[in-house]
Amino acid sequence: MIIKNITNQYLIESEENQYFDRKSARIKPADILRHIVAFANANGGVLAIGIEDNGEITGFDGMNAHKVNEFLEAPYLVDGNVKINYEERVIKNKKVLLFEIEPSENYVIKTKDSKVYLRVGDKSKLLNHEQIIQLEYDKGERRFEDLVVEESTFEDVDIKLLSKYKEILNTNLSLEEILEARALMKKGHLTYAGILLFGKFPTKYLPNARVRLLKFEGNRMETGKRLNIIKEINYENAIPRIIEDIKREMHSQLRDFQYLAEDGVFKTIPEYPEFPWFEGIVNAITHRNYSLQGDCI
């Protein structure tokens, strides 16, 4: 939604929605902050000042109406970098102020008193602490993997796996220093990323951090009485071990075919090339949200 493309008819007749709200100029300029913040934290939107909720154009000349400049100063009270375009428009001989708020892709926007709002339908909803944290995850401002698991210690580390990683790095750092240098361990405690990558028993702290490999008869998986699963394996190790174990199992499940090449030598070709199914395995694991319940399949 771009200001210049919004018609006067839309401003007057359209119902307020996820992307549009209207306010009287009698509202305190500071009170529009919640709507600016809400639009920025959602998908952006347009806020029209000088129009009543019923679409009546009242402008800025009525009794108790605030000045245009007061509203133009309001966005500076937002805590965060929000891109806002504005336009002053005359409709039915009355001035209307339009704010176009662009969405904040990577950061949660707050008011100066640290309140966070989110546009939900035609409302600007105040979020509680848990909801703010979830929004920070959604925007990538806060990463679940970086959180420290206070109950964990270096004893939870798979030493053989980490030592193999050290060999690949060809570094003189100690095992603890390797983890700390990559923010996988902080002050003696592992982060969730550290547990997922090098933990002996990741499910100790993340019960759902597992992968199920399913093989079923036919070309679709059925349920209930038609259940057609013929093989199921659960993997609950650190991610590098899971990847190698599944890769090994996949090779044992897929067939190889032999053919006579033009040079007269028999050669082997796999039923399915390794690259696409191996990429699928890695994606299924690394794209999983371990903070939610469920399994990788």
Side-chain angles (χ1 to χ4, degrees), residues 33-45 78 80-84 101-110 117-119 135 139:
L33 293 179
R34 64 181 296 165
H35 305 292
I36 292 175
V37 169
F39 280 129
N41 284 327
N43 299 311
V78 172
N81 186 18
V82 183
K83 187 173 182 180
I84 302 176
I101 302 99
E102 297 190 9
S104 174
E105 301 291 346
N106 302 314
Y107 299 97
V108 172
I109 304 300
K110 305 177 180 180
Y117 296 88
L118 181 69
R119 192 71 178 179
L135 186 61
K139 291 184 176 293

Side-chain angles (χ1 to χ4, degrees), residues 158 160-161 235 237-246 248:
D158 184 331
K160 289 185 178 180
L161 182 60
Y235 298 91
N237 294 319
I239 287 177
R241 292 197 184 281
I242 287 179
I243 291 175
E244 289 302 318
D245 289 344
I246 296 179
R248 190 179 305 111

Side-chain angles (χ1 to χ4, degrees), residues 33-82:
L33 293 179
R34 64 181 296 165
H35 305 292
I36 292 175
V37 169
F39 280 129
N41 284 327
N43 299 311
V46 170
L47 178 62
I49 309 296
I51 307 178
E52 306 299 315
D53 289 341
N54 61 5
E56 180 185 358
I57 307 295
T58 51
F60 291 83
D61 298 326
M63 185 178 296
N64 299 322
H66 295 273
K67 302 299 183 183
V68 171
N69 286 341
E70 294 181 70
F71 288 100
L72 291 176
E73 292 173 358
Y76 293 102
L77 299 177
V78 172
D79 186 7
N81 186 18
V82 183

Side-chain angles (χ1 to χ4, degrees), residues 65-283:
H66 295 273
K67 302 299 183 183
V68 171
N69 286 341
E70 294 181 70
F71 288 100
L72 291 176
E73 292 173 358
Y76 293 102
L77 299 177
V78 172
D79 186 7
N81 186 18
V82 183
K83 187 173 182 180
I84 302 176
N85 302 312
Y86 71 91
E87 176 187 317
E88 295 181 35
R89 184 182 299 186
V90 176
I91 306 175
K92 296 182 179 180
N93 297 318
K94 295 184 182 294
K95 184 179 292 186
V96 172
L97 177 62
L98 303 179
F99 286 109
E100 180 184 358
I101 302 99
E102 297 190 9
S104 174
E105 301 291 346
N106 302 314
Y107 299 97
V108 172
I109 304 300
K110 305 177 180 180
T111 62
K112 288 297 183 182
D113 55 356
S114 298
K115 291 182 179 179
V116 176
Y117 296 88
L118 181 69
R119 192 71 178 179
V120 181
D122 62 350
K123 305 295 183 184
S124 295
K125 180 181 177 183
L126 176 65
L127 302 187
N128 59 33
H129 178 69
E130 290 74 20
Q131 291 168 330
I132 293 172
I133 291 177
Q134 185 59 54
L135 186 61
E136 289 173 341
Y137 284 139
D138 292 342
K139 291 184 176 293
E141 185 176 355
R142 180 192 293 258
R143 298 200 307 171
F144 176 78
E145 291 85 355
D146 292 337
L147 297 180
V148 174
V149 183
E150 298 292 345
E151 299 84 0
S152 67
T153 67
F154 187 71
E155 296 297 320
D156 291 304
V157 173
D158 184 331
I159 300 299
K160 289 185 178 180
L161 182 60
L162 184 56
S163 297
K164 183 177 180 180
Y165 180 59
K166 178 179 179 178
E167 291 180 10
I168 295 173
L169 292 178
N170 190 25
T171 177
N172 292 323
L173 294 175
S174 68
L175 297 181
E176 292 92 335
E177 289 172 335
I178 290 174
L179 294 175
E180 291 174 350
R182 286 153 182 79
L184 300 175
M185 187 171 72
K186 301 176 182 178
K187 296 182 179 180
H189 302 291
L190 296 172
T191 62
Y192 280 116
I195 289 172
L196 290 169
L197 289 172
F198 296 110
K200 286 187 289 189
F201 307 107
T203 52
K204 175 181 178 181
Y205 300 105
L206 291 163
N208 297 306
R210 62 193 182 100
V211 177
R212 296 168 63 210
L213 177 62
L214 303 177
K215 182 179 180 180
F216 50 87
E217 190 72 36
N219 56 14
R220 58 178 294 179
M221 188 172 68
E222 303 288 354
T223 58
K225 293 183 179 180
R226 299 189 303 274
L227 187 67
N228 58 342
I229 295 176
I230 59 178
K231 191 177 187 66
E232 176 178 352
I233 305 176
N234 287 296
Y235 298 91
E236 298 183 354
N237 294 319
I239 287 177
R241 292 197 184 281
I242 287 179
I243 291 175
E244 289 302 318
D245 289 344
I246 296 179
K247 181 179 179 181
R248 190 179 305 111
E249 182 63 30
M250 286 291 292
H251 276 297
S252 70
Q253 294 296 321
L254 299 177
R255 298 173 296 178
D256 289 329
F257 298 98
Q258 289 189 334
Y259 70 99
L260 184 62
E262 293 182 358
D263 59 5
V265 177
F266 280 98
K267 296 184 179 181
T268 301
I269 183 172
E271 182 178 12
Y272 298 101
E274 178 180 297
F275 175 77
W277 60 255
F278 183 68
E279 181 182 22
I281 291 171
V282 174
N283 287 340

